[in-house]
Amino acid sequence: MTNRPQRHTQAVSPRAVSAGGLSSNGAAEGHVCTHWESYSARMTQRDPHTRPWWHEAVFYQIYPLSFADSDGDGYGDLDGITSRLDYLADTLGVDAIWLSPFYKSPMKDWGYDISDHTDVDPLFGDLGGAERLIDAAHSRGVKVIVDYVMNHSSDEHPWFVESRSSRDNPKRDWYVWRDGKPDRNPPTNWVSVFSGPSWTFDHTTGQWYRHTYLASQPDLNWRNPELVDAMLDVARFWLDIGVDGFRVDAAHQMMKDPLERDNPPVPEDWQRPFKDMGEYDDFVHLYDLAHPDVHEAHRAFQTVLDEYGRDAMSVGEIHIFDLSEWASYYGHDLDEFSMPFNFHLMACDWDARSIRALIEAVHWNVPAGAWTNWTLGNHDEIRLASRISAGQERLAALLLLSLRGTPFLYYGDELGMKQTAVSDDRKKDPWGDNVEYLSRDGERTPMQWNDGPNAGFSPEGIAPWLPVADDYQTVNVKSELQLPESTLNMYRRLLDVRRESEALRFGSFMVHPSSSDEVLVYRRESDHETITVALNFSDAETVVELRAGRVVFSTVDENREEAFRDSIVLAPNEGVIVRHRR
Ligand code: NOJ
């Protein structure tokens, strides 16, 4: 069995705070100093001998279509990733990679529509290529996690082809089929995440099937035991091949109201918890996601990981912004996900005060014995450098890599890649077909390796599947490696400092009283080390009072290294790491 941490207290703190409400209701704000003792008790370290690898790892998400094209077809592939492992392991220095889907797929949702869970799509290579990649990563000490798409398959999956063939097919119930309403409307008013009804009428058998996303992504029925067994075997297949865990797609979506009630429209004073989701925002999603038996499915999935007797991990894509409910995906006995993905920083107002309140609220809600994670970007979100206040992407990097919890980086963010405008004739994302401004193409453009043709992503003369960003001549790995002050070199220095610092990797976390509306200051502490991180979110020079220490890292000045007695001066948008003598 794995060394899963045991839960000591109730799974969810009564201090449940919805991230969306933080700045307005102030519920988390008093925690900074007044709850110092109980707070630090919650932040105590685990026994190092039982700390799983993924607590200390820095993860790097690769969107395989866009990372490296080894065979010159314009699409990134597995051999391309293998050829760039030295960059990941040595040049940058990350510990684990998460690969978005590379399975067989008609590519309607670019791989998130799987037609064979246990084979590799020819666009990416073959199964041998997956094995080579995993082995080569492991030989460099890099762990590999892969996407596990739990909620749906492609409509071209043989399971669905069978299921739709007749009402009495043995696999009929592996998907969700229903009669329409008496007025010939779909069974419910549920809207698909990508807009439009989440039911499609199928003429072959005269019933509707449910799909949380595209009509070509029918929902799997996790209330059917045979489907559950088949899907758990998929997880075993990849664990047998050697993956170290899974990022679980749409993990909160799978179970819906068994009574299939219509969702109510949103009230007038409704506040959006996250980003604009188009038509999906017209309804309160009371009945079309996260029915309580979703936890049963996740527990079943976790038992498969446990079967493998090593520290396989799982991170569940949970787009729930009520922190108490979000935290319930650790499981009542910490028997569900190793971690629900923590997207809350991306939903938070970008200022020192709101971020501080959010961090406190997240920590309060993570159950005792569990561990959290932080991320600022992925293949579904506007690129970090284009989303936050101008000039603060380096500050964001320091925040992400110095909080207590596992950081997840998104490919290219380490270069400062920006959201790329993609012209109509090059657009690929099906969400953008339905709601233009929600297209995700701009955050999925090719990795920028050098200032040559196609930024080194595809060979010269090939048109990459999405256009290369205009700034590739300066924003690329090769050029940035030559500039000491580049964003890439800042990430490398930061990752070095983190690697050498047990306080940053797993020490306790406490907000420092010098924090203000402009500056966020926190302490990270282990048995042997005390670190302070200070982040200036303002565009003015700011003095921060701190006990004596030495600056060991600055986001804006690669040469900054100075000892100080009782205060430091931060430049506009500067963040620093300070080491204190014990
Ligand atoms: C969430 C994934 O992150 C997204 O890219 C995908 O389109 C949907 N789930 C459907 O699988």
Side-chain angles (χ1 to χ4, degrees), residues 457-521:
F457 166 76
S458 280
E460 188 169 8
I462 304 293
W465 79 293
L466 280 171
V468 172
D470 288 344
D471 61 7
Y472 78 96
Q473 281 174 333
T474 48
V475 180
N476 67 67
V477 172
K478 190 168 170 224
S479 309
E480 291 197 29
L481 282 176
Q482 286 155 13
L483 273 185
E485 69 276 19
S486 68
T487 305
L488 176 57
N489 278 327
M490 184 218 59
Y491 268 89
R492 296 175 68 214
R493 284 188 291 115
L494 182 50
L495 284 160
D496 281 348
V497 174
R498 183 188 158 92
R499 197 173 309 108
E500 297 307 318
S501 164
E502 56 174 40
L504 286 176
R505 293 196 318 276
F506 54 80
S508 62
F509 172 96
M510 192 153 346
V511 172
H512 191 278
S514 291
S515 293
S516 67
D517 284 353
E518 282 79 37
V519 183
L520 173 59
V521 187

Side-chain angles (χ1 to χ4, degrees), residues 248-494:
V248 180
D249 188 68
H252 59 302
Q253 294 280 5
M254 299 154 37
M255 299 305 207
K256 307 195 195 288
D257 177 30
L259 299 178
E260 297 182 342
R261 285 167 278 193
D262 280 353
N263 281 326
V266 288
E268 265 176 27
D269 60 351
W270 178 75
Q271 280 193 320
R272 182 172 282 131
F274 189 37
K275 62 181 179 188
D276 183 340
M277 299 280 287
E279 195 187 338
Y280 193 69
D281 283 345
D282 291 349
F283 295 92
V284 183
H285 293 279
L286 268 191
Y287 298 121
D288 62 345
L289 52 80
H291 188 75
D293 61 352
V294 73
H295 296 288
E296 207 178 299
H298 295 325
R299 280 195 295 275
F301 174 68
Q302 187 58 48
T303 58
V304 172
L305 270 63
D306 290 345
E307 281 167 20
Y308 279 73
R310 58 170 200 265
D311 236 352
M313 64 84 71
S314 60
V315 55
E317 189 202 16
I318 305 295
H319 274 283
I320 288 181
F321 292 89
D322 174 286
L323 285 173
S324 162
E325 195 184 342
W326 168 80
S328 71
Y329 286 80
Y330 283 102
H332 192 266
D333 294 311
L334 297 189
D335 50 1
E336 296 180 34
F337 292 117
S338 309
M339 306 181 281
F341 231 129
N342 173 5
F343 300 122
H344 300 101
L345 264 183
M346 296 194 288
C348 185
D349 287 346
W350 191 256
D351 62 75
R353 183 186 170 85
S354 307
I355 293 173
R356 180 182 88 183
L358 171 77
I359 296 166
E360 295 271 285
V362 167
H363 282 315
W364 271 110
N365 280 278
V366 171
W371 183 254
T372 195
N373 62 93
W374 301 93
T375 190
L376 281 167
N378 63 43
H379 64 296
D380 294 328
E381 306 303 333
I382 292 173
R383 281 240 177 227
L384 169 65
S386 303
R387 206 181 55 232
I388 61 170
S389 318
Q392 295 201 345
E393 59 276 14
R394 288 168 177 238
L395 206 61
L398 174 54
L399 177 73
L400 183 61
L401 288 160
S402 66
L403 287 175
R404 180 180 157 91
T406 303
F408 281 76
L409 307 176
Y410 182 52
Y411 85 93
D413 279 355
E414 77 276 22
L415 307 176
M417 275 176 67
K418 297 197 177 60
Q419 195 71 5
T420 303
V422 176
S423 59
D424 285 351
D425 57 331
R426 303 285 310 266
K427 287 205 161 118
K428 293 287 189 308
D429 181 19
W431 199 350
D433 290 345
N434 294 347
V435 192
E436 204 181 336
Y437 67 92
L438 292 178
S439 168
R440 298 164 294 179
D441 291 331
E443 60 260 28
R444 297 175 174 181
T445 58
M447 176 70 174
Q448 295 163 205
W449 293 104
N450 58 44
D451 58 2
N454 289 326
F457 166 76
S458 280
E460 188 169 8
I462 304 293
W465 79 293
L466 280 171
V468 172
D470 288 344
D471 61 7
Y472 78 96
Q473 281 174 333
T474 48
V475 180
N476 67 67
V477 172
K478 190 168 170 224
S479 309
E480 291 197 29
L481 282 176
Q482 286 155 13
L483 273 185
E485 69 276 19
S486 68
T487 305
L488 176 57
N489 278 327
M490 184 218 59
Y491 268 89
R492 296 175 68 214
R493 284 188 291 115
L494 182 50

Side-chain angles (χ1 to χ4, degrees), residues 109 112 152 194 213 217 247 249 317 379-380 440 444:
D109 188 19
Y112 281 96
H152 49 271
F194 292 156
Y213 297 90
Q217 293 169 296
R247 176 267 189 185
D249 188 68
E317 189 202 16
H379 64 296
D380 294 328
R440 298 164 294 179
R444 297 175 174 181

Side-chain angles (χ1 to χ4, degrees), residues 148 150 159 222 225-239 246 296-305 307-308:
Y148 180 68
M150 213 165 179
W159 297 344
W222 278 78
E226 288 173 15
L227 177 278
V228 173
D229 285 348
M231 281 300 288
L232 296 185
D233 279 346
V234 169
R236 290 187 184 97
F237 177 89
W238 288 102
L239 287 163
F246 300 96
E296 207 178 299
H298 295 325
R299 280 195 295 275
F301 174 68
Q302 187 58 48
T303 58
V304 172
L305 270 63
E307 281 167 20
Y308 279 73

Side-chain angles (χ1 to χ4, degrees), residues 137-213:
H138 285 168
S139 71
R140 289 168 173 81
V142 172
K143 306 270 190 187
V144 181
I145 69 166
V146 295
D147 240 283
Y148 180 68
V149 182
M150 213 165 179
N151 177 72
H152 49 271
S153 73
S154 158
D155 61 347
E156 293 185 23
H157 196 296
W159 297 344
F160 188 71
V161 173
E162 273 198 52
S163 182
R164 87 186 316 174
S165 65
S166 72
R167 288 194 185 204
D168 54 9
N169 183 278
K171 292 204 171 55
R172 182 67 168 180
D173 189 46
W174 285 33
Y175 293 83
V176 183
W177 292 94
R178 297 286 181 267
D179 293 329
K181 285 184 172 158
D183 60 3
R184 298 177 147 214
N185 272 320
T188 66
N189 70 349
W190 301 345
V191 169
S192 123
V193 175
F194 292 156
S195 288
S198 66
W199 298 92
T200 289
F201 187 73
D202 192 55
H203 290 277
T204 320
T205 55
Q207 281 194 309
W208 300 76
Y209 67 88
R210 201 185 74 201
H211 49 89
T212 304
Y213 297 90

